Amino acid sequence: MGVALVTGPTAGIGREIAAELSLQGHELILVARDEARLQELAEELGNCTVLPADLSDREQLARVEQAAVGVDWLVNNAGYGINAPFHKTKVEDEQALLDVLVTAVMRLTHAAVPAMVERGRGRILNTSSVASWVPFGTYSAAKAWVTVFSEGLAAQTPAYVHVTALCPGFTRTEFHERAQMEVGGPQMMWLNAGEVAREGIRDCERGTVLSVPSLRYKTVATLAQHTPRRVLRAVSGRYKEDG
Ligand SMILES: NC(=O)c1ccc[n+]([C@@H]2O[C@H](COP(=O)([O-])OP(=O)(O)OC[C@H]3O[C@@H](n4cnc5c(N)ncnc54)[C@H](OP(=O)(O)O)[C@@H]3O)[C@@H](O)[C@H]2O)c1
């Protein structure tokens, strides 16, 4: 078994991915901001190195890039959302979101891939979202980048490096609470983080490039990809806030 670097393992989907990879016997490098939670998880799982870092900070990210060289699994999972329309947010907050969702994913992948190609094996699992097929602010635009980036990388790197964009729908984690989002909708639209994590890892092992956990969200993703963009924009526009 090899070494897996997981970003965002202190909660939600990333925690479940870390637990599953640990169960499979991998040594883990755990990256997030909350050092106490990282330590707690490392003690629970064993065989972990803790690397506290804010991925929106370029100097801290550089330390994570160094640690990503030579890993067998790279899991770019850390992320969050902003619950405000673009014209009401601070540009610094939009930039920080792009830094975490896009720049960190690109730079960590760039650090990890060459050694994977040289060694003849590697796994890259990027947590994207079904939101990548829907126009909805910087978050969906960034996730669209993650999905297309993963597809391009999968096409361009040798087949023994498996690259997967994990595209979940609504999943019960700390995500919505942290962004102070109130999301209703029927219970059946909510996924379990453990199931999402296991499906993503399994799809990455199989070499599946787009992993959309659950039949219901596979249906949603297929519909979104075949719906005219103007219809998707109209649906997105229903959540428009004036003024
Ligand atoms: N939940 C959903 O409905 C849903 C749906 C589709 C996609 N996703 C995606 O799934 C991924 C995981 O989210 P989640 O739902 O599991 O949310 P979560 O429970 O809030 O976990 C987010 C993780 O990201 C870490 N993180 C956030 N900002 C960071 C930063 N600046 N630097 C380093 N680490 C940071 C957090 O750790 P610290 O706070 O300790 O730094 C935490 O471990 C995200 O990419 C999200 O966009 C979520």
Side-chain angles (χ1 to χ4, degrees):
M1 286 296 131
V3 178
L5 187 151
V6 182
T7 71
T10 51
I13 298 167
R15 189 185 164 90
E16 298 293 338
I17 290 174
E20 183 63 25
L21 290 175
S22 172
L23 205 64
Q24 291 181 8
H26 296 282
E27 181 186 336
L28 298 180
I29 303 173
L30 304 172
V31 180
R33 292 163 302 181
D34 190 328
E35 190 168 358
R37 285 181 97 178
L38 285 173
Q39 292 289 2
E40 201 180 300
L41 182 64
E43 275 165 35
E44 187 186 318
L45 300 180
N47 205 15
C48 295
T49 303
V50 155
L51 183 44
D54 182 338
L55 296 172
S56 69
D57 180 296
R58 197 55 81 79
E59 277 180 27
Q60 295 181 45
L61 175 60
R63 285 194 285 111
V64 186
E65 284 170 54
Q66 283 172 13
V69 179
V71 298
D72 300 277
W73 276 81
L74 171 66
V75 182
N76 285 304
N77 164 81
Y80 61 97
I82 297 177
N83 185 24
F86 188 74
H87 63 281
K88 288 190 177 170
T89 57
K90 288 193 198 137
V91 73
E92 293 79 14
D93 294 340
E94 297 285 348
Q95 185 62 62
L97 188 67
L98 279 183
D99 290 342
V100 174
L101 297 185
V102 175
T103 303
V105 175
M106 183 279 288
R107 294 193 71 99
L108 293 180
T109 306
H110 199 268
V113 162
M116 290 179 174
V117 172
E118 208 168 293
R119 219 175 33 234
R121 185 188 156 79
R123 302 284 181 263
I124 296 179
L125 180 59
N126 294 327
T127 308
S128 187
S129 171
V130 285
S132 59
W133 292 295
V134 179
F136 208 85
T138 302
Y139 180 80
S140 340
K143 291 302 188 183
W145 181 88
V146 175
T147 299
V148 176
F149 170 69
S150 306
E151 288 188 279
L153 195 65
Q156 289 168 352
T157 44
Y160 50 75
V161 176
H162 294 187
V163 186
T164 297
L166 171 60
C167 302
F170 292 131
T171 308
R172 294 220 178 274
T173 66
E174 296 177 11
F175 181 93
H176 300 92
E177 190 188 325
R178 285 181 196 238
Q180 297 175 316
M181 290 177 196
E182 277 183 34
V183 185
Q187 279 293 328
M188 60 156 311
M189 292 316 283
W190 286 90
L191 300 172
N192 170 281
E195 287 165 16
V196 168
R198 284 186 289 279
E199 196 158 335
I201 291 170
R202 194 199 57 207
D203 281 344
C204 193
E205 271 302 359
R206 286 179 178 167
T208 304
V209 178
L210 293 179
S211 172
V212 183
S214 84
L215 181 60
R216 52 203 186 278
Y217 276 107
K218 281 183 175 62
T219 309
V220 169
T222 304
L223 281 174
Q225 287 171 76
H226 292 90
T227 300
R229 300 298 294 178
R230 66 185 157 73
V231 175
L232 291 176
R233 289 196 296 274
V235 172
S236 179
R238 288 182 60 194
Y239 297 91
K240 184 154 49 189
E241 201 178 296
D242 295 324

